[in-house]
mmCIF file of all heavy atoms in Angstrom:
data_model
loop_
_atom_site.group_PDB
_atom_site.id
_atom_site.type_symbol
_atom_site.label_atom_id
_atom_site.label_comp_id
_atom_site.label_asym_id
_atom_site.label_seq_id
_atom_site.Cartn_x
_atom_site.Cartn_y
_atom_site.Cartn_z
ATOM 1 N N LEU A 1 0.829 -1.197 0.000
ATOM 2 C CA LEU A 1 0.000 0.000 0.000
ATOM 3 C C LEU A 1 0.866 1.250 0.000
ATOM 4 O O LEU A 1 1.828 1.361 0.766
ATOM 5 C CB LEU A 1 -0.922 0.010 1.210
ATOM 6 C CG LEU A 1 -2.104 -0.951 1.128
ATOM 7 C CD1 LEU A 1 -2.697 -1.185 2.506
ATOM 8 C CD2 LEU A 1 -3.161 -0.398 0.172
ATOM 9 N N ALA A 2 0.513 2.172 -0.858
ATOM 10 C CA ALA A 2 1.315 3.374 -1.016
ATOM 11 C C ALA A 2 0.469 4.506 -1.569
ATOM 12 O O ALA A 2 -0.614 4.292 -2.114
ATOM 13 C CB ALA A 2 2.497 3.115 -1.952
ATOM 14 N N TRP A 3 0.989 5.694 -1.428
ATOM 15 C CA TRP A 3 0.427 6.885 -2.041
ATOM 16 C C TRP A 3 1.403 7.435 -3.068
ATOM 17 O O TRP A 3 2.612 7.510 -2.802
ATOM 18 C CB TRP A 3 0.124 7.976 -1.014
ATOM 19 C CG TRP A 3 -1.041 7.684 -0.124
ATOM 20 C CD1 TRP A 3 -1.020 7.085 1.093
ATOM 21 C CD2 TRP A 3 -2.412 8.007 -0.395
ATOM 22 N NE1 TRP A 3 -2.291 7.007 1.611
ATOM 23 C CE2 TRP A 3 -3.169 7.559 0.718
ATOM 24 C CE3 TRP A 3 -3.077 8.623 -1.458
ATOM 25 C CZ2 TRP A 3 -4.553 7.716 0.792
ATOM 26 C CZ3 TRP A 3 -4.449 8.770 -1.385
ATOM 27 C CH2 TRP A 3 -5.167 8.316 -0.272
ATOM 28 N N TYR A 4 0.864 7.800 -4.208
ATOM 29 C CA TYR A 4 1.587 8.511 -5.253
ATOM 30 C C TYR A 4 0.875 9.823 -5.523
ATOM 31 O O TYR A 4 -0.276 10.015 -5.135
ATOM 32 C CB TYR A 4 1.635 7.698 -6.542
ATOM 33 C CG TYR A 4 2.587 6.523 -6.547
ATOM 34 C CD1 TYR A 4 2.299 5.359 -5.845
ATOM 35 C CD2 TYR A 4 3.772 6.575 -7.279
ATOM 36 C CE1 TYR A 4 3.163 4.282 -5.857
ATOM 37 C CE2 TYR A 4 4.639 5.497 -7.301
ATOM 38 C CZ TYR A 4 4.330 4.353 -6.593
ATOM 39 O OH TYR A 4 5.195 3.280 -6.619
ATOM 40 N N ARG A 5 1.558 10.707 -6.205
ATOM 41 C CA ARG A 5 0.920 11.933 -6.634
ATOM 42 C C ARG A 5 1.458 12.344 -7.996
ATOM 43 O O ARG A 5 2.552 11.951 -8.396
ATOM 44 C CB ARG A 5 1.128 13.067 -5.626
ATOM 45 C CG ARG A 5 2.564 13.565 -5.522
ATOM 46 C CD ARG A 5 2.690 14.572 -4.398
ATOM 47 N NE ARG A 5 4.050 15.071 -4.275
ATOM 48 C CZ ARG A 5 4.484 15.812 -3.276
ATOM 49 N NH1 ARG A 5 3.653 16.155 -2.285
ATOM 50 N NH2 ARG A 5 5.751 16.232 -3.243
ATOM 51 N N GLN A 6 0.665 13.143 -8.677
ATOM 52 C CA GLN A 6 1.069 13.661 -9.970
ATOM 53 C C GLN A 6 0.602 15.099 -10.094
ATOM 54 O O GLN A 6 -0.592 15.377 -10.056
ATOM 55 C CB GLN A 6 0.505 12.812 -11.108
ATOM 56 C CG GLN A 6 1.042 13.202 -12.467
ATOM 57 C CD GLN A 6 0.726 12.175 -13.530
ATOM 58 O OE1 GLN A 6 -0.217 11.392 -13.394
ATOM 59 N NE2 GLN A 6 1.509 12.161 -14.584
ATOM 60 N N ALA A 7 1.560 15.991 -10.231
ATOM 61 C CA ALA A 7 1.264 17.398 -10.434
ATOM 62 C C ALA A 7 1.095 17.666 -11.920
ATOM 63 O O ALA A 7 1.618 16.924 -12.758
ATOM 64 C CB ALA A 7 2.382 18.260 -9.862
ATOM 65 N N PRO A 8 0.380 18.724 -12.272
ATOM 66 C CA PRO A 8 0.201 19.051 -13.684
ATOM 67 C C PRO A 8 1.536 19.209 -14.402
ATOM 68 O O PRO A 8 2.419 19.928 -13.940
ATOM 69 C CB PRO A 8 -0.562 20.376 -13.651
ATOM 70 C CG PRO A 8 -1.280 20.356 -12.348
ATOM 71 C CD PRO A 8 -0.351 19.649 -11.398
ATOM 72 N N GLY A 9 1.669 18.519 -15.520
ATOM 73 C CA GLY A 9 2.884 18.598 -16.305
ATOM 74 C C GLY A 9 4.073 17.866 -15.725
ATOM 75 O O GLY A 9 5.176 17.975 -16.271
ATOM 76 N N LYS A 10 3.872 17.126 -14.644
ATOM 77 C CA LYS A 10 4.961 16.423 -13.982
ATOM 78 C C LYS A 10 4.746 14.918 -14.040
ATOM 79 O O LYS A 10 3.642 14.439 -14.271
ATOM 80 C CB LYS A 10 5.081 16.866 -12.526
ATOM 81 C CG LYS A 10 5.307 18.353 -12.322
ATOM 82 C CD LYS A 10 6.662 18.785 -12.834
ATOM 83 C CE LYS A 10 6.915 20.246 -12.517
ATOM 84 N NZ LYS A 10 8.235 20.685 -13.030
ATOM 85 N N GLU A 11 5.822 14.190 -13.813
ATOM 86 C CA GLU A 11 5.729 12.740 -13.729
ATOM 87 C C GLU A 11 5.089 12.335 -12.409
ATOM 88 O O GLU A 11 5.197 13.031 -11.397
ATOM 89 C CB GLU A 11 7.121 12.112 -13.841
ATOM 90 C CG GLU A 11 7.834 12.370 -15.157
ATOM 91 C CD GLU A 11 7.191 11.643 -16.315
ATOM 92 O OE1 GLU A 11 6.627 10.548 -16.105
ATOM 93 O OE2 GLU A 11 7.242 12.161 -17.438
ATOM 94 N N ARG A 12 4.424 11.211 -12.435
ATOM 95 C CA ARG A 12 3.891 10.643 -11.212
ATOM 96 C C ARG A 12 5.036 10.268 -10.281
ATOM 97 O O ARG A 12 6.042 9.704 -10.719
ATOM 98 C CB ARG A 12 3.043 9.412 -11.534
ATOM 99 C CG ARG A 12 2.360 8.780 -10.332
ATOM 100 C CD ARG A 12 1.558 7.576 -10.763
ATOM 101 N NE ARG A 12 2.415 6.552 -11.352
ATOM 102 C CZ ARG A 12 1.968 5.502 -12.030
ATOM 103 N NH1 ARG A 12 0.662 5.324 -12.205
ATOM 104 N NH2 ARG A 12 2.829 4.612 -12.521
ATOM 105 N N GLU A 13 4.902 10.579 -9.017
ATOM 106 C CA GLU A 13 5.958 10.296 -8.066
ATOM 107 C C GLU A 13 5.422 9.570 -6.844
ATOM 108 O O GLU A 13 4.299 9.810 -6.394
ATOM 109 C CB GLU A 13 6.682 11.574 -7.639
ATOM 110 C CG GLU A 13 5.809 12.583 -6.913
ATOM 111 C CD GLU A 13 6.589 13.796 -6.435
ATOM 112 O OE1 GLU A 13 7.833 13.755 -6.415
ATOM 113 O OE2 GLU A 13 5.939 14.796 -6.074
ATOM 114 N N TRP A 14 6.241 8.710 -6.321
ATOM 115 C CA TRP A 14 5.922 8.011 -5.091
ATOM 116 C C TRP A 14 6.027 8.960 -3.916
ATOM 117 O O TRP A 14 6.962 9.755 -3.819
ATOM 118 C CB TRP A 14 6.886 6.833 -4.917
ATOM 119 C CG TRP A 14 6.765 6.102 -3.622
ATOM 120 C CD1 TRP A 14 5.834 5.170 -3.278
ATOM 121 C CD2 TRP A 14 7.631 6.237 -2.490
ATOM 122 N NE1 TRP A 14 6.062 4.710 -2.005
ATOM 123 C CE2 TRP A 14 7.160 5.350 -1.499
ATOM 124 C CE3 TRP A 14 8.753 7.010 -2.222
ATOM 125 C CZ2 TRP A 14 7.778 5.218 -0.259
ATOM 126 C CZ3 TRP A 14 9.380 6.887 -0.991
ATOM 127 C CH2 TRP A 14 8.890 6.006 -0.032
ATOM 128 N N VAL A 15 5.072 8.871 -3.007
ATOM 129 C CA VAL A 15 5.030 9.755 -1.848
ATOM 130 C C VAL A 15 5.345 9.007 -0.563
ATOM 131 O O VAL A 15 6.186 9.433 0.226
ATOM 132 C CB VAL A 15 3.659 10.449 -1.732
ATOM 133 C CG1 VAL A 15 3.574 11.278 -0.454
ATOM 134 C CG2 VAL A 15 3.402 11.319 -2.957
ATOM 135 N N ALA A 16 4.649 7.899 -0.336
ATOM 136 C CA ALA A 16 4.804 7.173 0.917
ATOM 137 C C ALA A 16 4.281 5.760 0.769
ATOM 138 O O ALA A 16 3.411 5.485 -0.059
ATOM 139 C CB ALA A 16 4.063 7.882 2.057
ATOM 140 N N GLY A 17 4.798 4.862 1.584
ATOM 141 C CA GLY A 17 4.321 3.496 1.639
ATOM 142 C C GLY A 17 4.204 3.042 3.074
ATOM 143 O O GLY A 17 4.923 3.534 3.951
ATOM 144 N N VAL A 18 3.302 2.105 3.322
ATOM 145 C CA VAL A 18 3.055 1.617 4.674
ATOM 146 C C VAL A 18 3.028 0.097 4.675
ATOM 147 O O VAL A 18 2.512 -0.530 3.744
ATOM 148 C CB VAL A 18 1.753 2.208 5.252
ATOM 149 C CG1 VAL A 18 0.532 1.755 4.459
ATOM 150 C CG2 VAL A 18 1.610 1.866 6.728
ATOM 151 N N GLY A 19 3.587 -0.495 5.722
ATOM 152 C CA GLY A 19 3.605 -1.928 5.886
ATOM 153 C C GLY A 19 2.522 -2.410 6.830
ATOM 154 O O GLY A 19 1.707 -1.638 7.331
ATOM 155 N N LEU A 20 2.529 -3.707 7.077
ATOM 156 C CA LEU A 20 1.464 -4.328 7.851
ATOM 157 C C LEU A 20 1.415 -3.863 9.296
ATOM 158 O O LEU A 20 0.359 -3.868 9.908
ATOM 159 C CB LEU A 20 1.590 -5.849 7.802
ATOM 160 C CG LEU A 20 1.315 -6.496 6.446
ATOM 161 C CD1 LEU A 20 1.588 -7.990 6.513
ATOM 162 C CD2 LEU A 20 -0.117 -6.231 6.006
ATOM 163 N N ARG A 21 2.545 -3.489 9.842
ATOM 164 C CA ARG A 21 2.594 -2.999 11.220
ATOM 165 C C ARG A 21 2.766 -1.484 11.283
ATOM 166 O O ARG A 21 3.323 -0.951 12.232
ATOM 167 C CB ARG A 21 3.701 -3.695 11.993
ATOM 168 C CG ARG A 21 3.426 -5.170 12.243
ATOM 169 C CD ARG A 21 4.430 -5.770 13.199
ATOM 170 N NE ARG A 21 4.104 -7.146 13.543
ATOM 171 C CZ ARG A 21 4.767 -7.878 14.420
ATOM 172 N NH1 ARG A 21 5.813 -7.360 15.061
ATOM 173 N NH2 ARG A 21 4.392 -9.126 14.658
ATOM 174 N N ASN A 22 2.273 -0.818 10.273
ATOM 175 C CA ASN A 22 2.351 0.631 10.170
ATOM 176 C C ASN A 22 3.779 1.148 10.058
ATOM 177 O O ASN A 22 4.042 2.316 10.368
ATOM 178 C CB ASN A 22 1.623 1.315 11.319
ATOM 179 C CG ASN A 22 0.210 1.717 10.955
ATOM 180 O OD1 ASN A 22 -0.015 2.330 9.917
ATOM 181 N ND2 ASN A 22 -0.739 1.385 11.814
ATOM 182 N N SER A 23 4.692 0.295 9.630
ATOM 183 C CA SER A 23 5.991 0.809 9.235
ATOM 184 C C SER A 23 5.798 1.680 8.010
ATOM 185 O O SER A 23 4.925 1.414 7.174
ATOM 186 C CB SER A 23 6.956 -0.332 8.938
ATOM 187 O OG SER A 23 6.469 -1.149 7.892
ATOM 188 N N ALA A 24 6.593 2.713 7.899
ATOM 189 C CA ALA A 24 6.351 3.690 6.852
ATOM 190 C C ALA A 24 7.647 4.208 6.257
ATOM 191 O O ALA A 24 8.659 4.322 6.939
ATOM 192 C CB ALA A 24 5.534 4.859 7.397
ATOM 193 N N ASP A 25 7.586 4.515 4.984
ATOM 194 C CA ASP A 25 8.673 5.168 4.273
ATOM 195 C C ASP A 25 8.110 6.346 3.511
ATOM 196 O O ASP A 25 6.974 6.319 3.053
ATOM 197 C CB ASP A 25 9.361 4.204 3.305
ATOM 198 C CG ASP A 25 10.132 3.117 4.011
ATOM 199 O OD1 ASP A 25 10.982 3.451 4.850
ATOM 200 O OD2 ASP A 25 9.879 1.934 3.714
ATOM 201 N N TYR A 26 8.937 7.378 3.345
ATOM 202 C CA TYR A 26 8.485 8.607 2.731
ATOM 203 C C TYR A 26 9.483 9.132 1.727
ATOM 204 O O TYR A 26 10.694 8.939 1.874
ATOM 205 C CB TYR A 26 8.263 9.691 3.793
ATOM 206 C CG TYR A 26 7.261 9.317 4.840
ATOM 207 C CD1 TYR A 26 7.660 8.731 6.032
ATOM 208 C CD2 TYR A 26 5.904 9.543 4.631
ATOM 209 C CE1 TYR A 26 6.734 8.377 6.997
ATOM 210 C CE2 TYR A 26 4.969 9.193 5.592
ATOM 211 C CZ TYR A 26 5.392 8.608 6.771
ATOM 212 O OH TYR A 26 4.469 8.257 7.722
ATOM 213 N N ALA A 27 8.954 9.800 0.724
ATOM 214 C CA ALA A 27 9.814 10.561 -0.151
ATOM 215 C C ALA A 27 10.455 11.694 0.638
ATOM 216 O O ALA A 27 9.855 12.239 1.564
ATOM 217 C CB ALA A 27 9.012 11.133 -1.323
ATOM 218 N N ASP A 28 11.680 12.038 0.266
ATOM 219 C CA ASP A 28 12.379 13.096 0.990
ATOM 220 C C ASP A 28 11.594 14.407 1.002
ATOM 221 O O ASP A 28 11.660 15.162 1.970
ATOM 222 C CB ASP A 28 13.757 13.334 0.374
ATOM 223 C CG ASP A 28 14.732 12.221 0.672
ATOM 224 O OD1 ASP A 28 14.485 11.439 1.621
ATOM 225 O OD2 ASP A 28 15.754 12.131 -0.027
ATOM 226 N N SER A 29 10.858 14.661 -0.044
ATOM 227 C CA SER A 29 10.143 15.916 -0.172
ATOM 228 C C SER A 29 9.011 16.080 0.838
ATOM 229 O O SER A 29 8.571 17.203 1.097
ATOM 230 C CB SER A 29 9.588 16.075 -1.588
ATOM 231 O OG SER A 29 8.707 15.013 -1.907
ATOM 232 N N VAL A 30 8.535 14.967 1.408
ATOM 233 C CA VAL A 30 7.424 15.042 2.346
ATOM 234 C C VAL A 30 7.795 14.560 3.735
ATOM 235 O O VAL A 30 6.976 14.648 4.665
ATOM 236 C CB VAL A 30 6.193 14.261 1.846
ATOM 237 C CG1 VAL A 30 5.803 14.722 0.451
ATOM 238 C CG2 VAL A 30 6.445 12.757 1.866
ATOM 239 N N LYS A 31 8.989 14.076 3.907
ATOM 240 C CA LYS A 31 9.420 13.530 5.190
ATOM 241 C C LYS A 31 9.331 14.589 6.280
ATOM 242 O O LYS A 31 9.774 15.721 6.103
ATOM 243 C CB LYS A 31 10.840 12.992 5.068
ATOM 244 C CG LYS A 31 11.277 12.075 6.193
ATOM 245 C CD LYS A 31 12.613 11.410 5.858
ATOM 246 C CE LYS A 31 12.495 10.518 4.630
ATOM 247 N NZ LYS A 31 13.780 9.827 4.309
ATOM 248 N N GLY A 32 8.741 14.203 7.401
ATOM 249 C CA GLY A 32 8.555 15.124 8.501
ATOM 250 C C GLY A 32 7.269 15.911 8.441
ATOM 251 O O GLY A 32 6.891 16.548 9.431
ATOM 252 N N ARG A 33 6.592 15.886 7.296
ATOM 253 C CA ARG A 33 5.346 16.620 7.138
ATOM 254 C C ARG A 33 4.146 15.710 6.915
ATOM 255 O O ARG A 33 3.037 16.044 7.320
ATOM 256 C CB ARG A 33 5.444 17.597 5.971
ATOM 257 C CG ARG A 33 6.546 18.632 6.129
ATOM 258 C CD ARG A 33 6.496 19.677 5.020
ATOM 259 N NE ARG A 33 6.717 19.081 3.702
ATOM 260 C CZ ARG A 33 5.810 19.054 2.726
ATOM 261 N NH1 ARG A 33 4.611 19.597 2.908
ATOM 262 N NH2 ARG A 33 6.109 18.494 1.555
ATOM 263 N N PHE A 34 4.364 14.586 6.250
ATOM 264 C CA PHE A 34 3.285 13.655 5.934
ATOM 265 C C PHE A 34 3.408 12.416 6.804
ATOM 266 O O PHE A 34 4.507 12.032 7.219
ATOM 267 C CB PHE A 34 3.345 13.221 4.473
ATOM 268 C CG PHE A 34 2.960 14.269 3.470
ATOM 269 C CD1 PHE A 34 2.843 15.608 3.812
ATOM 270 C CD2 PHE A 34 2.713 13.894 2.161
ATOM 271 C CE1 PHE A 34 2.496 16.564 2.880
ATOM 272 C CE2 PHE A 34 2.361 14.838 1.210
ATOM 273 C CZ PHE A 34 2.252 16.171 1.570
ATOM 274 N N ALA A 35 2.278 11.773 7.052
ATOM 275 C CA ALA A 35 2.260 10.516 7.784
ATOM 276 C C ALA A 35 1.283 9.552 7.124
ATOM 277 O O ALA A 35 0.103 9.871 6.966
ATOM 278 C CB ALA A 35 1.883 10.741 9.238
ATOM 279 N N ILE A 36 1.783 8.402 6.722
ATOM 280 C CA ILE A 36 0.936 7.363 6.171
ATOM 281 C C ILE A 36 0.625 6.357 7.272
ATOM 282 O O ILE A 36 1.476 6.057 8.110
ATOM 283 C CB ILE A 36 1.603 6.681 4.959
ATOM 284 C CG1 ILE A 36 0.638 5.714 4.270
ATOM 285 C CG2 ILE A 36 2.898 5.995 5.355
ATOM 286 C CD1 ILE A 36 1.164 5.176 2.939
ATOM 287 N N SER A 37 -0.587 5.858 7.286
ATOM 288 C CA SER A 37 -0.977 4.875 8.281
ATOM 289 C C SER A 37 -2.099 4.016 7.729
ATOM 290 O O SER A 37 -2.693 4.328 6.696
ATOM 291 C CB SER A 37 -1.400 5.547 9.593
ATOM 292 O OG SER A 37 -2.540 6.368 9.392
ATOM 293 N N ARG A 38 -2.378 2.947 8.427
ATOM 294 C CA ARG A 38 -3.469 2.070 8.028
ATOM 295 C C ARG A 38 -4.175 1.544 9.257
ATOM 296 O O ARG A 38 -3.579 1.401 10.329
ATOM 297 C CB ARG A 38 -2.956 0.908 7.169
ATOM 298 C CG ARG A 38 -1.967 0.002 7.899
ATOM 299 C CD ARG A 38 -1.330 -1.013 6.971
ATOM 300 N NE ARG A 38 -2.293 -1.958 6.424
ATOM 301 C CZ ARG A 38 -2.013 -2.844 5.470
ATOM 302 N NH1 ARG A 38 -0.782 -2.890 4.954
ATOM 303 N NH2 ARG A 38 -2.948 -3.667 5.025
ATOM 304 N N ASP A 39 -5.449 1.268 9.115
ATOM 305 C CA ASP A 39 -6.181 0.553 10.136
ATOM 306 C C ASP A 39 -6.845 -0.647 9.478
ATOM 307 O O ASP A 39 -6.411 -1.094 8.420
ATOM 308 C CB ASP A 39 -7.163 1.467 10.883
ATOM 309 C CG ASP A 39 -8.201 2.117 9.988
ATOM 310 O OD1 ASP A 39 -8.476 1.601 8.878
ATOM 311 O OD2 ASP A 39 -8.756 3.159 10.396
ATOM 312 N N ASN A 40 -7.874 -1.190 10.088
ATOM 313 C CA ASN A 40 -8.494 -2.392 9.547
ATOM 314 C C ASN A 40 -9.273 -2.150 8.267
ATOM 315 O O ASN A 40 -9.583 -3.096 7.545
ATOM 316 C CB ASN A 40 -9.417 -3.020 10.582
ATOM 317 C CG ASN A 40 -8.663 -3.620 11.743
ATOM 318 O OD1 ASN A 40 -7.506 -4.010 11.613
ATOM 319 N ND2 ASN A 40 -9.314 -3.709 12.886
ATOM 320 N N ALA A 41 -9.587 -0.896 7.997
ATOM 321 C CA ALA A 41 -10.473 -0.598 6.885
ATOM 322 C C ALA A 41 -9.840 0.228 5.779
ATOM 323 O O ALA A 41 -10.212 0.071 4.613
ATOM 324 C CB ALA A 41 -11.726 0.121 7.390
ATOM 325 N N ARG A 42 -8.906 1.082 6.117
ATOM 326 C CA ARG A 42 -8.425 2.072 5.176
ATOM 327 C C ARG A 42 -6.952 2.370 5.362
ATOM 328 O O ARG A 42 -6.353 2.045 6.387
ATOM 329 C CB ARG A 42 -9.228 3.372 5.329
ATOM 330 C CG ARG A 42 -10.550 3.375 4.594
ATOM 331 C CD ARG A 42 -11.384 4.586 4.982
ATOM 332 N NE ARG A 42 -12.051 4.370 6.258
ATOM 333 C CZ ARG A 42 -13.233 3.793 6.398
ATOM 334 N NH1 ARG A 42 -13.914 3.388 5.331
ATOM 335 N NH2 ARG A 42 -13.757 3.635 7.597
ATOM 336 N N VAL A 43 -6.388 3.001 4.358
ATOM 337 C CA VAL A 43 -5.063 3.572 4.450
ATOM 338 C C VAL A 43 -5.208 5.087 4.348
ATOM 339 O O VAL A 43 -6.042 5.592 3.587
ATOM 340 C CB VAL A 43 -4.111 2.998 3.371
ATOM 341 C CG1 VAL A 43 -4.641 3.251 1.971
ATOM 342 C CG2 VAL A 43 -2.706 3.563 3.534
ATOM 343 N N TYR A 44 -4.399 5.802 5.115
ATOM 344 C CA TYR A 44 -4.526 7.246 5.227
ATOM 345 C C TYR A 44 -3.224 7.937 4.860
ATOM 346 O O TYR A 44 -2.146 7.363 4.937
ATOM 347 C CB TYR A 44 -4.890 7.641 6.658
ATOM 348 C CG TYR A 44 -6.117 6.964 7.198
ATOM 349 C CD1 TYR A 44 -6.016 5.773 7.915
ATOM 350 C CD2 TYR A 44 -7.382 7.503 6.999
ATOM 351 C CE1 TYR A 44 -7.144 5.153 8.421
ATOM 352 C CE2 TYR A 44 -8.508 6.883 7.498
ATOM 353 C CZ TYR A 44 -8.388 5.709 8.209
ATOM 354 O OH TYR A 44 -9.509 5.091 8.705
ATOM 355 N N LEU A 45 -3.362 9.184 4.496
ATOM 356 C CA LEU A 45 -2.209 10.053 4.349
ATOM 357 C C LEU A 45 -2.532 11.377 5.020
ATOM 358 O O LEU A 45 -3.337 12.152 4.513
ATOM 359 C CB LEU A 45 -1.849 10.272 2.881
ATOM 360 C CG LEU A 45 -0.569 11.064 2.643
ATOM 361 C CD1 LEU A 45 0.649 10.260 3.091
ATOM 362 C CD2 LEU A 45 -0.428 11.454 1.176
#
């Protein structure tokens, strides 16, 4: 599970990914500002 984004005129880029125990990785551009998480029903950013 992961979040990507695409700005107008830009390539799609990876933003964040989350593992089964809410381990998370982030793109440098959003690190410290974004938080990815998951519960039993959904994944959040």
Side-chain angles (χ1 to χ4, degrees):
L1 285 162
W3 289 93
Y4 285 74
R5 68 186 180 190
Q6 187 167 23
K10 302 293 185 181
E11 298 291 329
R12 184 180 62 193
E13 63 176 346
W14 174 79
V15 175
V18 64
L20 292 175
R21 291 189 175 184
N22 264 311
S23 60
D25 291 306
Y26 301 93
D28 287 342
S29 59
V30 306
K31 196 170 297 182
R33 300 187 297 116
F34 288 14
I36 187 171
S37 63
R38 62 188 296 172
D39 59 22
N40 291 334
R42 278 170 280 272
V43 59
Y44 305 92
L45 186 68

